[in-house]
């Protein structure tokens, strides 16, 4: 069925109209089409299909180049919906247009996917067959869209259409039906597929189809207006699309940011799905404005461990030191068997990585290494999968507290939070470091408990006012603790929200009396260090034969803003070797 592609070529699927089918079953004509080769630079107008592959157990036959092949039923249904009674439709469909059994071809074609979806006349996003009252919500979207978007109609054509909108919200029953239909719409498997983030994101014009209904721009307005169901992936997909098509926002779409925005868990716990773990990297690369800095990808000749390791090397070599904050060890990857391990300095993008407690590097206001990136030199021992970074040892962990790891999807654990705050307070009282003892205890505890996350509206400027900053933490902490002791909610719940976002942390005290929040896998004797160019400190294990394992990012009160370099203006900078 597949002839080799020449350099620069792609395949397009010419979908035949329904009326020329030669099947013996007139009620269920076989979907038919042919594959044609074109140079991507001068191919005819085409549409691109975006869909969820679905289960291998549910499949149907179609005819391609006269040969009957088996495809997922969701694809067959989408093609059937797209069939015209008038003439052929030219489509790009990944399952058909790429020889999935040829890794070399797959590597070359995946590199072109961003261009393919960008240049398509329209991207047809197929959500699946009608179900869960999808006709109701799709029709509701259509009627609203005809009124609010210029270029559609500009205003409702009839009083009857306006009546339909009003009636949809008039009774409790109708509102409940719409609400449930919208929730199910947001939870469709399509939105959970990783590849659709790029397919939906880069398309110039997108049509969303579900059953016999189709809508266009209205989905973006609806998601921004309605409270999207959790867990729902729609908000993230729409946000990434809007960022990509906004010139100013796109300038900040570096690969690290796109990768983290797409894969790392926020409070809603959404993690897009992909069958091939390598695609967790390859599917997001096309949205990055610096993709050319990663010419080694995509590469389907190597396994996922190799891909993740090479990616981490590339990030570190170009100065993204805080990629290390996404190395988290709260679960075991079932893909690793026996004694297999990724290097501790390589994020495992298969896992449910959460947003770092010290925030992502592009929004973090910490500066533990005091802008020392120019002094960083990264060395890689390829044979041992070890990496060496320049940094300084700050201290050694001497005492560890209990684990604070709230369930982001559950109701806030007030009792657990009270115990956590009380323990942090006891640690701070025991601290002997003058950076802690010279401060108001309430301020120190208030900042410690939430890893110094700003706990007030307008936080981007508020924290720069030192007096308001310190007083604000004191007030938030005291009010919250007082409310917890009474068994009620504080008047200002923002602090509770920040508490809930802190995850897998244990309070600790160092040998010199520093206090902080360490990752859950910390052990007594582990070392606190600052890598040159890093915004946050890290904890590494005790050295064995000169080599350590990374434990993870840490918050340490009193050294997050570069204070260490003021206290020790000429520290011993040395190689820290990680395996």
């Amino acid at each position: 069925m597949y002839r080799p592609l020449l350099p620069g070529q792609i395949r397009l699927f010419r979908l035949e109209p329904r009326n020329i089918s030669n099947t013996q079953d007139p009620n269920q004509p076989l979907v038919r089409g042919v594959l044609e080769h074109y140079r991507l630079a001068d191919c005819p107008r085409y549409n691109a299909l975006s869909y969820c592959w679905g289960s291998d157990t549910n499949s149907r036959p179609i005819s391609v180049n006269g040969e009957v092949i088996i495809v997922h039923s969701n694809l067959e249904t989408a093609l059937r919906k797209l069939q015209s009674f008038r003439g052929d439709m030219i489509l790009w469909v990944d399952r058909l247009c790429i020889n999935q059994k040829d890794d070399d071809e797959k590597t070359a074609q995946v590199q072109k996917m961003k261009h393919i979806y960008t240049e398509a006349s329209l991207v047809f996003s197929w959500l699946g067959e009608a179900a869960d009252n999808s006709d109701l919500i799709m029709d509701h979207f259509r009627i609203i869209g005809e009124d609010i978007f210029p270029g559609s109609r500009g205003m409702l054509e009839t009083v009857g259409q306006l009546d339909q909108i009003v009636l949809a919200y008039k009774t409790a029953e109708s509102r409940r039906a719409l609400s449930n239909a919208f929730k199910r719409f947001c939870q469709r498997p399509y939105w959970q597929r990783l590849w659709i983030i790029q397919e939906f994101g880069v398309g110039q014009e997108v049509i969303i189809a579900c059953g016999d209904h189709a809508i266009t721009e209205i989905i973006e307005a609806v998601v921004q207006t309605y409270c999207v169901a959790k867990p729902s992936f729609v908000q993230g997909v729409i946000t990434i699309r809007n960022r990509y098509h906004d010139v100013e926002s796109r300038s900040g779409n570096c690969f690290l940011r796109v990768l983290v925005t797409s894969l790392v868990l926020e409070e809603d716990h959404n993690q897009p799905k992909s069958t091939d773990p390598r695609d967790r990297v390859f599917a997001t690369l096309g949205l990055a404005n610096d993709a050319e800095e990663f010419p080694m990808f995509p590469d389907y000749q190597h396994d996922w461990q190799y891909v993740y390791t090479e990616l981490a090397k590339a990030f570190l070599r170009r100065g993204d030191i805080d990629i290390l904050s996404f190395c988290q060890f709260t679960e075991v990857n079932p893909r690793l068997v026996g004694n297999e391990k990724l290097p501790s300095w390589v994020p495992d993008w298969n896992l449910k990585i959460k947003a770092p407690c010290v925030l992502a590097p592009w929004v973090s206001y910490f500066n533990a290494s005091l802008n020392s990136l120019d002094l960083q030199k990264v060395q890689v021992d390829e044979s041992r999968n070890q990496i060496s970074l320049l940094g300084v040892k700050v201290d050694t962990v001497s005492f560890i507290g209990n684990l604070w790891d709230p369930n982001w999807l559950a109701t806030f654990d007030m009792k657990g939070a009270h115990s956590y705050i009380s323990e942090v307070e006891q640690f701070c009282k025991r601290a002997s470091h003058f950076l802690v003892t010279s401060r108001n205890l309430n301020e120190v505890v208030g900042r410690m408990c939430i890893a110094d996350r700003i706990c007030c509206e307008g936080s981007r400027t508020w924290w720069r006012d030192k007096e308001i900053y310190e007083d604000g933490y004191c007030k938030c902490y005291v009010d919250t603790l007082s409310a917890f002791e009474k068994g009620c909610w504080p008047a200002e719940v923002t602090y509770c929200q920040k508490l809930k976002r802190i995850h897998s942390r244990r309070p600790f005290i160092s040998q010199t009396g520093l206090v902080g929040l360490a990752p859950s896998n910390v052990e007594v004797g582990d070392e606190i260090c600052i890598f040159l160019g890093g915004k946050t400190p890290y904890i590494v294990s005790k050295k064995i034969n000169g080599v350590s394992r990374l434990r993870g990012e840490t918050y340490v009160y009193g050294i997050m803003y570069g204070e260490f370099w003021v206290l020790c203006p000429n520290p011993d900078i040395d190689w820290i070797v990680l395996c």
Side-chain angles (χ1 to χ4, degrees):
M1 186 175 78
Y2 289 106
R3 291 185 292 111
L5 289 167
L6 298 176
Q9 280 190 330
I10 64 170
R11 296 186 186 89
L12 293 175
F13 182 65
R14 185 178 292 274
L15 179 63
E16 296 177 357
R18 301 181 192 182
N19 58 358
I20 67 170
S21 175
N22 296 319
T23 183
Q24 296 179 351
D25 182 1
N27 297 318
Q28 191 73 359
L30 199 67
V31 171
R32 297 176 182 273
V34 294
L35 291 170
E36 300 172 341
H37 290 205
Y38 294 97
R39 281 176 47 82
L40 184 56
D42 53 12
C43 59
R45 287 172 59 87
Y46 64 92
N47 300 326
L49 179 62
S50 175
Y51 66 104
C52 180
W53 278 37
S55 171
D56 290 330
T57 60
N58 193 2
S59 56
R60 293 176 187 168
I62 66 171
S63 174
V64 180
N65 293 349
E67 178 181 337
V68 176
I69 66 170
I70 302 299
V71 298
H72 296 94
S73 61
N74 196 43
L75 171 57
E76 192 269 352
T77 304
L79 293 174
R80 190 173 296 282
K81 294 291 183 182
L82 286 168
Q83 275 185 310
S84 168
F85 287 103
R86 297 183 299 275
D88 296 344
M89 175 178 287
I90 301 178
L91 295 168
W92 191 88
V93 185
D94 58 354
R95 167 64 178 83
L96 304 179
C97 297
I98 299 176
N99 183 353
Q100 301 292 331
K101 297 180 180 179
D102 185 336
D103 283 342
D104 287 335
E105 178 183 305
K106 192 174 177 181
T107 294
Q109 291 296 295
V110 167
Q111 289 176 338
K112 298 180 173 66
M113 280 182 61
K114 175 186 175 182
H115 189 85
I116 290 170
Y117 277 90
T118 301
E119 295 301 315
S121 298
L122 66 84
V123 174
F124 184 83
S125 295
W126 170 246
L127 271 59
E129 291 277 38
D132 300 317
N133 235 353
S134 59
D135 287 348
L136 172 68
I137 197 68
M138 291 288 286
D139 197 47
H140 187 65
F141 289 162
R142 178 189 59 79
I143 295 171
I144 297 175
E146 289 173 354
D147 182 49
I148 67 175
F149 282 101
S152 52
R153 286 182 175 83
M155 59 187 301
L156 294 175
E157 288 187 324
T158 66
V159 175
Q161 285 183 306
L162 178 60
D163 288 343
Q164 289 182 55
I165 296 176
V166 174
L167 285 173
Y169 295 94
K170 192 169 184 179
T171 68
E173 183 179 357
S174 62
R175 291 193 297 270
R176 186 162 49 251
L178 269 180
S179 176
N180 290 334
F182 182 62
K183 179 180 179 181
R184 300 301 182 202
F185 174 90
C186 291
Q187 292 175 341
R188 288 222 164 211
Y190 173 84
W191 302 112
Q192 302 175 32
R193 179 174 171 258
L194 181 59
W195 273 109
I196 71 102
I197 295 176
Q198 176 178 259
E199 298 164 1
F200 189 95
V202 304
Q204 297 300 316
E205 182 179 354
V206 177
I207 290 180
I208 300 171
C210 183
D212 293 326
H213 291 261
I215 55 175
T216 53
E217 302 100 328
I218 182 61
I219 183 61
E220 298 181 26
V222 167
V223 168
Q224 293 167 359
T225 303
Y226 283 68
C227 180
V228 178
K230 291 184 179 181
S232 165
F233 294 77
V234 181
Q235 183 76 62
V237 173
I238 296 297
T239 299
I240 291 172
R241 172 174 171 79
N242 288 341
R243 279 187 57 84
Y244 180 82
H245 287 279
D246 180 78
V247 176
E248 185 176 343
S249 298
R250 193 191 305 181
S251 63
N253 277 358
C254 65
F255 187 28
L256 176 58
R257 185 167 184 174
V258 170
L259 187 72
V260 168
T261 303
S262 302
L263 300 183
V264 171
L265 298 176
E266 294 292 344
E267 195 172 354
D268 53 15
H269 247 244
N270 291 339
Q271 188 183 45
K273 299 175 182 178
S274 62
T275 304
D276 190 329
R278 295 170 294 187
D279 285 340
R280 305 194 73 73
V281 173
F282 303 158
T284 53
L285 180 60
L287 292 166
N289 59 13
D290 55 354
E292 69 281 355
E293 295 184 28
F294 303 87
M296 72 290 278
F297 300 135
D299 177 5
Y300 287 97
Q301 294 292 343
H302 291 95
D303 61 24
W304 65 269
Q305 295 98 317
Y306 175 88
V307 170
Y308 291 6
T309 302
E310 290 302 303
L311 179 63
K313 290 177 188 176
F315 280 135
L316 290 167
R317 281 170 171 154
R318 74 175 199 166
D320 291 320
I321 305 303
D322 290 301
I323 185 68
L324 299 176
S325 66
F326 299 98
C327 296
Q328 298 174 10
F329 309 95
T330 55
E331 59 177 317
V332 177
N333 185 350
R335 294 181 184 274
L336 293 170
V337 296
N339 294 320
E340 285 185 333
K341 284 185 178 180
L342 276 179
S344 66
W345 48 272
V346 176
D348 188 344
W349 302 108
N350 286 300
L351 302 182
K352 293 180 179 179
I353 299 174
K354 292 184 178 181
C357 294
V358 292
L359 302 176
W362 52 88
V363 295
S364 172
Y365 43 85
F366 296 135
N367 189 15
S369 69
L370 208 60
N371 303 317
S372 56
L373 181 59
D374 290 344
L375 301 176
Q376 182 61 268
K377 298 176 182 178
V378 179
Q379 295 183 353
V380 178
D381 185 335
E382 302 283 358
S383 62
R384 299 178 182 175
N385 256 351
Q386 295 177 356
I387 200 156
S388 299
L389 300 169
L390 286 174
V392 295
K393 175 186 174 182
V394 175
D395 210 341
T396 301
V397 175
S398 63
F399 190 82
I400 303 168
N402 295 310
L403 178 65
W404 170 246
D405 192 22
N407 184 340
W408 284 359
L409 297 181
T411 304
F412 183 73
D413 181 5
M414 190 183 302
K415 183 178 179 180
H418 187 198
S419 298
Y420 166 66
I421 290 175
S422 299
E423 184 174 46
V424 170
E425 181 178 4
Q426 293 305 311
F427 272 57
C428 291
K429 287 179 179 178
R430 292 174 52 188
S432 57
H433 200 287
F434 82 92
L435 282 174
V436 177
T437 55
S438 63
R439 294 281 190 173
N440 181 299
L441 178 64
N442 288 337
E443 180 211 338
V444 176
V445 179
R447 294 169 72 166
M448 263 274 294
C449 287
I450 61 172
D452 221 358
R453 288 171 178 247
I454 306 309
C455 53
C456 182
E457 295 298 326
S459 59
R460 290 288 175 253
T461 57
W462 177 67
W463 70 272
R464 295 191 181 96
D465 188 321
K466 186 172 180 292
E467 183 178 348
I468 298 177
Y469 180 53
E470 294 171 359
D471 290 346
Y473 266 119
C474 290
K475 185 177 186 305
C476 282
Y477 163 68
V478 171
D479 290 350
T480 301
L481 183 60
S482 175
F484 285 174
E485 289 172 346
K486 297 174 184 176
C488 62
W489 286 98
E492 175 54 69
V493 297
T494 309
Y495 194 81
C496 294
Q497 293 169 350
K498 302 296 183 184
L499 279 171
K500 192 173 182 180
R501 297 300 299 277
I502 301 298
H503 61 87
S504 57
R505 296 293 102 176
R506 295 182 186 273
F508 72 87
I509 300 177
S510 72
Q511 287 181 351
T512 65
L514 286 170
V515 290
L517 299 176
S520 58
N521 58 342
V522 65
E523 296 180 5
V524 171
D526 286 349
E527 297 180 346
I528 305 163
C529 63
I530 297 175
F531 297 114
L532 301 189
K535 287 193 168 187
T536 181
Y538 290 86
I539 290 181
V540 301
S541 68
K542 290 179 288 189
K543 293 179 182 178
I544 299 177
N545 298 324
V547 180
S548 301
R549 286 188 64 81
L550 180 69
R551 301 292 194 199
E553 40 97 5
T554 184
Y555 172 85
V556 185
Y557 182 86
I559 68 170
M560 300 303 293
Y561 301 95
E563 299 95 327
F564 175 80
W565 303 89
V566 177
L567 297 173
C568 303
N570 297 298
D572 293 330
I573 298 175
D574 201 357
W575 291 106
I576 300 173
V577 184
L578 301 176
C579 63

